[in-house]
Amino acid sequence: MGGIIILLLLLVSLIAFIYFVVVTAKGWGALHVTMLCFLFIECWCFLFFAAGVHSNRVKSLANLDKQEKRAENAAKATKDLLWGANFQADINNLEAVVVAQNELLRIAGDRGRVWRGVEFITAKAGAFDLELTSGPAPAVDDLNGATPAPAAAAPPSSLSLPVGLIVYAFGEEVEQDTGLRKPRFYFGEQTVTKSQDGAVTLQPTIPLTPLQQQGTRNPAVTSWTLYESLPLDNHRAFSAAGSKETEDQIFGRMDEPTISALFASVPETDNRQANVIASFLHDGQPATDDDPEDAIWLQLSMSKKKEFNVDGSAANIQNGSFHDSLGRAIDARLHIEDTQEKKGMVSIGPDIKDELIIFKRSTATDEMINGSEAELMQRIYVRPLIDFEQAFAAHDVRMKDVDERIKKYKRETERLTQSTSDIQNIISSEQLVYGQLEEDLAGYRREVTVLDERAKVSEEAVANLEQELSTLFNLIQSSQP
């Protein structure tokens, strides 16, 4: 409709222009009329060009406004992706890049280097031949996370695995849902005995258990993961994805299906499997009366500000823990930056309202709880973390002790079996002698019976003879004068 109106206006203006030109042409010359016509045409050309420019400008301004809104939305989306909603670094919002990176760095800070996707070649003479595969993803994760992938696949190299390096080997298994390879079977501590051109040979430092040997022969295990340091136990590692920390679940909601699947191989004797699973599911939840006292932590609400010394004396941590027996940091990288007067001191007071304040039972003194410094909110069960390196070493010692005991019991069993066999042979021979003695006793008894009968007959004959002799003696005496 707007275009039709404009065309009508153009037609009316053209008719009016022609009319005025015809009317005024008598007083003007040909040159004036011609120039006026050219001026009219130029005005209309200018008008069309101006209209086109205005149309493009309107479209450009609309597009500019649209792009500015898109840029604002993109900036907000980028901010949300980097830091989470409302520009707050929420540790529970793992969908934020910076928070997720920090959480990953925190988890992997003490992990050391990791070689993933190491292809298993063969096993011979108690050693394992592996090969580092080349591809777009790096074969090694450093302490700061995975480095960017190169544009082209680099040739395999085993320079990062020198001969003599101790690594901890895990067999990888492919997840059905995601198709990702994740460590599933632990193959113990291994020593690199050969490393050249991506080919690596590992030798177990301790003979593998029958279960580990069975895992190395599992056809589903075609690749290994090698850790420079044995992974550390972690509370949040067993939390369900996306679960948030609350006062009733300080480590988030535990992932029951995953935990049950992980400990499915634990023997059910004496409810061992159920107790292990229950300890992981109960982690970070309100404590019960049946929980051990050394696993109880206390949630406190501070009434007064109190200072705690969290830094210990720097020490060599290569062969030990990052903290001393009191929980103070002995690694200089963990020391806090503070003034010289209060170096290593941390203050906790009533101003901390949005954070859970959790103390270990041995750290929260009775003076704090029963006094006016803090108020006890609830008791929380915190699963004692496992030192896997120490646990596996203790397990190996126990297994060696069990093997020695088994060998000893086998020797004792063999001796008992031999002794039992000898006793059975003695019993058999004695039973034969006993049978013979029984026969001899029966014959003896028969002979005694016969002899008794004959003795009775002889006694009767002697008695009769004595009677006759006595009679004859009496007769002889009576017949004499």
Side-chain angles (χ1 to χ4, degrees):
M1 181 62 67
I4 295 174
I5 293 174
I6 292 174
L7 291 176
L8 290 175
L9 291 176
L10 288 175
L11 181 59
V12 171
S13 64
L14 180 60
I15 294 172
F17 175 75
I18 294 173
Y19 171 76
F20 287 119
V21 169
V22 171
V23 170
T24 59
K26 296 178 180 181
W28 291 357
L31 178 62
H32 295 88
V33 174
T34 304
M35 295 301 295
L36 182 61
C37 292
F38 276 115
L39 179 61
F40 180 79
I41 295 173
E42 288 175 355
C43 289
W44 277 110
C45 290
F46 175 78
L47 182 62
F48 278 110
F49 287 134
V53 171
H54 179 72
S55 177
N56 291 333
R57 182 176 181 276
V58 170
K59 292 180 180 178
S60 300
L61 290 176
N63 188 34
L64 175 63
D65 184 65
K66 182 179 179 181
Q67 295 300 329
E68 287 180 347
K69 291 182 179 179
R70 289 183 59 186
E72 291 178 359
N73 294 333
K76 184 179 182 303
T78 302
K79 182 184 67 176
D80 293 342
L81 288 175
L82 285 176
W83 297 98
N86 300 324
F87 204 69
Q88 294 179 355
D90 183 6
I91 192 174
N92 295 315
N93 183 19
L94 294 183
E95 295 181 357
V97 175
V98 175
V99 179
Q101 286 179 343
N102 292 337
E103 182 69 8
L104 178 61
L105 291 177
R106 188 188 69 79
I107 294 175
D110 302 326
R111 184 192 63 186
R113 295 178 297 173
V114 181
W115 294 263
R116 302 184 185 278
V118 184
E119 184 178 358
F120 174 74
I121 304 300
T122 184
K124 54 184 178 180
F128 303 96
D129 293 333
L130 308 172
E131 183 176 353
L132 298 177
T133 57
S134 60
V140 182
D141 295 345
D142 59 20
L143 290 176
N144 295 323
T147 55
S157 173
S158 57
L159 295 178
S160 59
L161 284 165
V163 174
L165 180 66
I166 301 296
V167 295
Y168 300 89
F170 289 80
E172 294 179 341
E173 189 176 53
V174 179
E175 288 189 341
Q176 299 295 332
D177 298 336
T178 62
L180 299 176
R181 294 182 177 272
K182 290 189 177 180
R184 181 68 175 83
F185 304 96
Y186 178 58
F187 297 152
E189 187 180 89
Q190 309 265 351
T191 304
V192 179
T193 59
K194 177 183 176 183
S195 179
Q196 185 177 5
D197 297 333
V200 179
T201 300
L202 301 181
Q203 181 75 38
T205 59
I206 300 175
L208 301 184
T209 64
L211 185 61
Q212 290 174 332
Q213 294 176 2
Q214 182 181 357
T216 59
R217 295 189 295 267
N218 191 333
V221 179
T222 59
S223 60
W224 289 19
T225 294
L226 305 180
Y227 285 86
E228 187 177 24
S229 301
L230 197 64
L232 302 177
D233 194 5
N234 191 298
H235 296 285
R236 295 181 179 86
F238 300 93
S239 300
S243 63
K244 296 185 178 297
E245 300 173 359
T246 63
E247 291 190 356
D248 294 333
Q249 297 175 334
I250 64 172
F251 303 122
R253 178 176 54 83
M254 294 294 114
D255 192 350
E256 184 174 358
T258 300
I259 294 175
S260 300
L262 287 174
F263 298 105
S265 60
V266 176
E268 298 181 0
T269 307
D270 299 330
N271 292 328
R272 290 176 57 189
Q273 183 183 101
N275 292 335
V276 170
I277 294 176
S279 67
F280 278 80
L281 295 178
H282 189 41
D283 191 14
Q285 298 181 0
T288 63
D289 296 336
D290 298 332
D291 293 330
E293 194 64 26
D294 57 351
I296 300 299
W297 290 55
L298 306 180
Q299 178 187 353
L300 301 181
S301 176
M302 302 300 296
S303 303
K304 293 182 179 180
K305 182 176 291 187
K306 186 174 180 61
E307 292 185 344
F308 299 90
N309 185 8
V310 297
D311 290 345
S313 301
N316 184 9
I317 63 170
Q318 293 182 355
N319 299 318
S321 172
F322 290 87
H323 303 83
D324 59 15
S325 59
L326 299 178
R328 298 176 299 185
I330 60 177
D331 185 357
R333 296 172 298 179
L334 301 178
H335 287 178
I336 62 174
E337 297 293 336
D338 208 336
T339 61
Q340 189 64 30
E341 293 76 11
K342 294 185 178 181
K343 188 173 180 61
M345 302 299 292
V346 173
S347 298
I348 300 179
D351 54 332
I352 303 178
K353 299 183 179 300
D354 297 331
E355 299 290 339
L356 292 175
I357 304 178
I358 309 296
F359 286 87
K360 196 172 183 179
R361 181 63 185 89
S362 58
T363 305
T365 61
D366 294 336
E367 289 77 8
M368 289 178 55
I369 302 173
N370 299 329
S372 58
E373 295 179 349
E375 179 184 357
L376 176 62
M377 304 301 293
Q378 64 173 340
R379 302 164 73 246
I380 299 176
Y381 170 78
V382 177
R383 176 180 60 86
L385 297 180
I386 302 172
D387 186 343
F388 291 116
E389 187 171 1
Q390 181 179 0
F392 284 128
H395 175 74
D396 292 333
V397 172
R398 288 197 299 269
M399 291 304 297
K400 289 182 179 179
D401 181 62
V402 170
D403 290 339
E404 292 297 328
R405 289 175 180 267
I406 290 175
K407 292 178 181 178
K408 178 181 178 181
Y409 293 151
K410 284 183 177 180
R411 291 195 301 268
E412 296 294 335
T413 302
E414 292 176 356
R415 292 177 182 176
L416 289 174
T417 303
Q418 184 63 38
S419 300
T420 303
S421 177
D422 295 339
I423 292 174
Q424 292 294 335
N425 293 332
I426 294 174
I427 291 175
S428 298
S429 61
E430 292 297 326
Q431 285 179 346
L432 179 62
V433 173
Y434 178 78
Q436 294 175 351
L437 291 176
E438 286 287 343
E439 292 179 357
D440 292 342
L441 179 60
Y444 172 76
R445 287 175 177 174
R446 288 194 299 271
E447 291 177 357
V448 169
T449 302
V450 172
L451 289 176
D452 288 340
E453 292 177 353
R454 292 190 176 184
K456 289 180 180 180
V457 172
S458 298
E459 288 176 355
E460 291 178 356
V462 170
N464 294 332
L465 182 58
E466 289 178 351
Q467 183 66 30
E468 291 178 358
L469 290 176
S470 176
T471 304
L472 290 176
F473 179 76
N474 293 332
L475 291 175
I476 294 172
Q477 291 290 332
S478 60
S479 62
Q480 289 181 1

